[in-house]
Amino acid sequence: MAIERVMSMLIESISGIRGIYGAGLDALVLVRYSLAFGTFCLNQNNQRPLRIVVGRDARVSGEICSQIVIATLRSFGFEVIDIGLAPTPTVAMAVLYEEARGGIVLSASHNPEQWNALKLLNQKSEFLSPEEGKTVMKLAQQVKPPDHRNIPPGNLQSQDHISMHIDAIMGLPFCQSNSISSQQYKIVVDGINSVGALAIPPLLDRLGVNEVILINGEVNGRFAHPAEPLPGHLQGTMEFVRESNADLGIVVDPDADRLALIDDHGNYVSEELTQVIAADFMWRRRSGAFATNLSSSRAIDDVASQYQMPVYRSAVGEINVVKAMQQHEAILGGEGNGGVILPDLHYGRDALVGTMMVLQHLSELDVPLSEYWRSLPQYFMAKNKINVENPELVLQGFMQRHSDENMTTIDGVKIDFPDGWVHVRKSNTEPIVRIYSEGKTKAQAQELSQWCINDIESNQ
């Protein structure tokens, strides 16, 4: 469970810091955590140069936050590779490409546009482990500015790594653009006014897509709709796909590590299925395990059973999935929020490689997404959240009351039933308790969720 401390609108946790810029997330906080992360990177026992990669999404506060972070790191003697506006997975790729000691992504992911965050990557381009995160948190409370008299400022290089990222995807052995180009696809891309608008269209062009229509493509950080790629936020995008007679709609979040799909009829394809489609594609080529988190759909288990492949579940959080992938030598992993993790590139969610895999799969099957979607396992999920005074006490009580059920407690409390499940956990990014449930019907999923909410509220 993540250790969090909320100050004003700042959330400090082992996964980094996030908050509302100017109301908790301010210059002093950015300097303190940049110094702490620099100290962490400095203390790593390796031969890599003192180099850190910094990138950001298009939030209005991103430029000034990035300047503060870069200046702080340079004052500490670090060379900084500033890749500017870039998807989070591109920053991760740049850490590997530049042989840096770490990376900092300025992005609050799906949070509203007034939020921002420091997302921290280690030298392997992975988000910090719980142990590494705790080290940085401790350093942030202790670190003092270096004596600038004895430290020459580090160099600054500004580079664009999006093309490098696309080149790496095009170089994958299962990326066959001839198959994609033969379909003469017409695709709508919703760039949510952020870095996806800079990365997805050129990727589609390299893949041979016939026509790309970019909407919400002005990269100004003023999100045209709520940032999380959920159906309630994408009604306008779905209508645009229908009116355009497009073959597919591609939607990403502000830092382009999550991928949601809209089919050729303008219907939202659950982001829970993005990793399922990628796994179906990969298992046709390779045998191997898959890893995902406890809150992801059972659809992945159903598809895995068709190939007789194992699925391993971890606590929620990208780094937890990554550790499970590494432990079980998984060929692919992901999360039900639209995240696809391909270790051939890097251990992180990547909407760009997810896009390639989806298009490659559909082109080889020679079917529209609407038809392929009907062949996948059908589940319905309900996602709710409630505010409680003491999340830990709530979870403990819920666990005790239902200890005779088929329960998993590695991350909150998950109870599996024959035809569904419910998962109650403390959020890693917000001061709330999340309640996810899944069933064979929408009503069943909602009933499970409401049962859980009623149980918690009646016992507070």
Side-chain angles (χ1 to χ4, degrees), residues 124-143:
K124 295 182 287 186
S125 84
E126 301 165 8
F127 285 116
L128 301 188
S129 69
E131 294 74 21
E132 291 171 330
K134 289 176 183 176
T135 298
V136 173
M137 286 184 68
K138 184 176 181 181
L139 287 170
Q141 310 310 318
Q142 301 172 346
V143 72

Side-chain angles (χ1 to χ4, degrees), residues 45-59:
N45 184 22
N46 62 62
Q47 301 302 312
R48 290 189 174 188
L50 294 180
R51 180 181 299 146
I52 293 177
V53 174
V54 177
R56 62 184 177 91
D57 71 14
R59 292 167 195 273

Side-chain angles (χ1 to χ4, degrees), residues 222-440:
R222 301 293 189 187
F223 305 149
H225 54 73
E228 195 162 13
L230 300 176
H233 302 159
L234 300 175
Q235 294 301 312
T237 306
M238 290 186 279
E239 182 61 29
F240 190 91
V241 171
R242 281 190 289 269
E243 293 177 350
S244 303
N245 293 315
D247 298 295
L248 188 70
I250 291 173
V251 185
V252 295
D253 63 337
D255 67 329
D257 63 353
R258 294 169 58 175
L259 171 64
L261 305 170
I262 298 171
D263 76 4
D264 44 296
H265 297 310
N267 297 314
Y268 178 85
V269 178
S270 172
E271 61 176 354
E272 289 289 332
L273 293 178
T274 303
Q275 65 171 352
V276 179
I277 297 171
D280 187 29
F281 169 77
M282 185 61 76
W283 277 322
R284 291 169 186 257
R285 288 160 173 76
R286 298 180 189 170
S287 297
F290 188 94
T292 189
N293 66 43
L294 287 172
S295 283
S296 294
S297 173
R298 277 186 186 174
I300 187 64
D301 302 274
D302 292 351
V303 171
S305 68
Q306 297 172 15
Y307 294 94
Q308 297 182 317
M309 296 298 167
V311 173
Y312 297 96
R313 299 268 178 174
S314 75
V316 173
E318 184 175 325
I319 187 58
N320 297 317
V321 175
V322 166
K323 294 304 180 185
M325 291 177 66
Q326 293 168 339
Q327 178 183 353
H328 300 287
E329 299 182 341
I331 61 170
L332 193 68
E335 294 186 288
N337 57 13
V340 174
I341 304 173
L342 179 68
D344 293 41
L345 283 183
H346 63 103
Y347 277 106
R349 295 182 310 207
D350 192 328
L352 279 71
V353 78
T355 295
M356 181 277 289
M357 295 173 81
V358 168
L359 289 179
Q360 191 72 47
H361 195 37
L362 292 176
S363 68
E364 292 175 359
L365 295 175
D366 194 21
V367 295
L369 180 56
S370 58
E371 181 179 336
Y372 174 67
W373 182 17
R374 289 194 295 270
S375 73
L376 295 175
Q378 299 298 310
Y379 288 94
F380 296 85
M381 191 172 288
K383 298 182 180 182
N384 291 286
K385 55 187 178 182
I386 56 176
N387 295 311
V388 295
E389 291 186 5
N390 191 328
E392 298 288 354
L393 189 62
V394 165
L395 290 171
Q396 183 180 6
F398 185 79
M399 179 177 62
Q400 291 173 347
R401 290 191 297 275
H402 304 286
S403 58
D404 57 341
E405 301 286 358
N406 182 13
M407 182 182 297
T408 304
T409 58
I410 62 173
D411 181 11
V413 181
K414 182 178 182 181
I415 300 177
D416 278 291
F417 302 103
D419 294 322
W421 53 263
V422 63
H423 187 198
V424 187
R425 56 178 292 274
K426 180 183 176 184
S427 170
N428 287 333
T429 58
E430 299 176 69
I432 58 174
V433 166
R434 296 190 185 277
I435 299 173
Y436 286 9
S437 60
E438 185 175 62
K440 285 289 190 179

Side-chain angles (χ1 to χ4, degrees), residues 26-42:
D26 55 34
L28 291 177
V29 170
L30 292 168
V31 168
R32 181 160 55 89
Y33 264 87
S34 298
L35 286 172
F37 184 65
T39 302
F40 168 80
C41 292
L42 187 66

